[in-house]
mmCIF file of all heavy atoms in Angstrom:
data_model
loop_
_atom_site.group_PDB
_atom_site.id
_atom_site.type_symbol
_atom_site.label_atom_id
_atom_site.label_comp_id
_atom_site.label_asym_id
_atom_site.label_seq_id
_atom_site.Cartn_x
_atom_site.Cartn_y
_atom_site.Cartn_z
ATOM 1 N N PRO A 117 101.959 76.358 72.537
ATOM 2 C CA PRO A 117 102.363 77.127 73.718
ATOM 3 C C PRO A 117 101.872 78.566 73.643
ATOM 4 O O PRO A 117 101.727 79.133 72.555
ATOM 5 C CB PRO A 117 103.888 77.056 73.682
ATOM 6 C CG PRO A 117 104.215 76.844 72.244
ATOM 7 C CD PRO A 117 103.110 75.996 71.694
ATOM 8 N N ILE A 118 101.629 79.164 74.801
ATOM 9 C CA ILE A 118 101.278 80.576 74.831
ATOM 10 C C ILE A 118 102.458 81.359 74.252
ATOM 11 O O ILE A 118 103.625 81.034 74.508
ATOM 12 C CB ILE A 118 100.928 81.026 76.267
ATOM 13 C CG1 ILE A 118 100.212 82.364 76.258
ATOM 14 C CG2 ILE A 118 102.141 81.022 77.175
ATOM 15 C CD1 ILE A 118 98.829 82.312 75.671
ATOM 16 N N GLY A 119 102.171 82.371 73.440
ATOM 17 C CA GLY A 119 103.222 83.078 72.715
ATOM 18 C C GLY A 119 103.418 82.555 71.312
ATOM 19 O O GLY A 119 104.230 83.086 70.556
ATOM 20 N N TYR A 120 102.652 81.521 70.949
ATOM 21 C CA TYR A 120 102.724 80.963 69.594
ATOM 22 C C TYR A 120 102.181 81.944 68.562
ATOM 23 O O TYR A 120 102.704 82.058 67.457
ATOM 24 C CB TYR A 120 101.926 79.662 69.561
ATOM 25 C CG TYR A 120 101.569 79.160 68.177
ATOM 26 C CD1 TYR A 120 102.501 78.462 67.413
ATOM 27 C CD2 TYR A 120 100.298 79.378 67.642
ATOM 28 C CE1 TYR A 120 102.177 77.998 66.145
ATOM 29 C CE2 TYR A 120 99.969 78.918 66.377
ATOM 30 C CZ TYR A 120 100.906 78.231 65.631
ATOM 31 O OH TYR A 120 100.582 77.777 64.381
ATOM 32 N N ASP A 121 101.117 82.668 68.929
ATOM 33 C CA ASP A 121 100.481 83.582 67.985
ATOM 34 C C ASP A 121 100.445 84.991 68.562
ATOM 35 O O ASP A 121 101.066 85.276 69.588
ATOM 36 C CB ASP A 121 99.074 83.085 67.617
ATOM 37 C CG ASP A 121 98.226 82.786 68.853
ATOM 38 O OD1 ASP A 121 98.456 83.425 69.902
ATOM 39 O OD2 ASP A 121 97.340 81.915 68.770
ATOM 40 N N GLU A 122 99.716 85.884 67.889
ATOM 41 C CA GLU A 122 99.690 87.287 68.322
ATOM 42 C C GLU A 122 98.799 87.527 69.528
ATOM 43 O O GLU A 122 98.733 88.641 70.041
ATOM 44 C CB GLU A 122 99.252 88.197 67.166
ATOM 45 C CG GLU A 122 97.800 88.076 66.764
ATOM 46 C CD GLU A 122 97.581 87.106 65.619
ATOM 47 O OE1 GLU A 122 98.277 86.073 65.563
ATOM 48 O OE2 GLU A 122 96.710 87.376 64.785
ATOM 49 N N TYR A 123 98.131 86.479 70.017
ATOM 50 C CA TYR A 123 97.184 86.641 71.116
ATOM 51 C C TYR A 123 97.801 86.358 72.486
ATOM 52 O O TYR A 123 97.083 86.354 73.487
ATOM 53 C CB TYR A 123 95.978 85.728 70.905
ATOM 54 C CG TYR A 123 95.305 85.931 69.573
ATOM 55 C CD1 TYR A 123 95.326 84.934 68.599
ATOM 56 C CD2 TYR A 123 94.671 87.130 69.272
ATOM 57 C CE1 TYR A 123 94.723 85.126 67.368
ATOM 58 C CE2 TYR A 123 94.070 87.329 68.040
ATOM 59 C CZ TYR A 123 94.097 86.325 67.092
ATOM 60 O OH TYR A 123 93.506 86.522 65.866
ATOM 61 N N GLY A 124 99.107 86.096 72.553
ATOM 62 C CA GLY A 124 99.696 85.769 73.842
ATOM 63 C C GLY A 124 101.163 86.148 73.953
ATOM 64 O O GLY A 124 101.864 86.335 72.947
ATOM 65 N N TYR A 125 101.624 86.244 75.206
ATOM 66 C CA TYR A 125 102.999 86.614 75.543
ATOM 67 C C TYR A 125 103.459 85.708 76.679
ATOM 68 O O TYR A 125 102.691 85.450 77.615
ATOM 69 C CB TYR A 125 103.070 88.066 76.014
ATOM 70 C CG TYR A 125 102.503 89.090 75.054
ATOM 71 C CD1 TYR A 125 101.130 89.346 75.002
ATOM 72 C CD2 TYR A 125 103.339 89.822 74.211
ATOM 73 C CE1 TYR A 125 100.606 90.296 74.131
ATOM 74 C CE2 TYR A 125 102.826 90.778 73.338
ATOM 75 C CZ TYR A 125 101.457 91.005 73.307
ATOM 76 O OH TYR A 125 100.945 91.952 72.447
ATOM 77 N N CYS A 126 104.723 85.245 76.639
ATOM 78 C CA CYS A 126 105.133 84.305 77.685
ATOM 79 C C CYS A 126 106.610 84.410 78.040
ATOM 80 O O CYS A 126 107.423 85.002 77.326
ATOM 81 C CB CYS A 126 104.805 82.871 77.266
ATOM 82 S SG CYS A 126 106.047 82.122 76.192
ATOM 83 N N TYR A 127 106.920 83.754 79.176
ATOM 84 C CA TYR A 127 108.281 83.558 79.703
ATOM 85 C C TYR A 127 108.487 82.052 79.786
ATOM 86 O O TYR A 127 107.712 81.344 80.429
ATOM 87 C CB TYR A 127 108.373 84.217 81.076
ATOM 88 C CG TYR A 127 109.661 84.044 81.853
ATOM 89 C CD1 TYR A 127 110.888 83.835 81.241
ATOM 90 C CD2 TYR A 127 109.634 84.134 83.247
ATOM 91 C CE1 TYR A 127 112.055 83.710 81.987
ATOM 92 C CE2 TYR A 127 110.794 84.014 84.000
ATOM 93 C CZ TYR A 127 112.003 83.803 83.369
ATOM 94 O OH TYR A 127 113.151 83.681 84.109
#
Side-chain angles (χ1 to χ4, degrees):
I118 195 69
Y120 164 81
D121 52 29
E122 70 266 37
Y123 305 113
Y125 305 82
C126 83
Y127 175 27

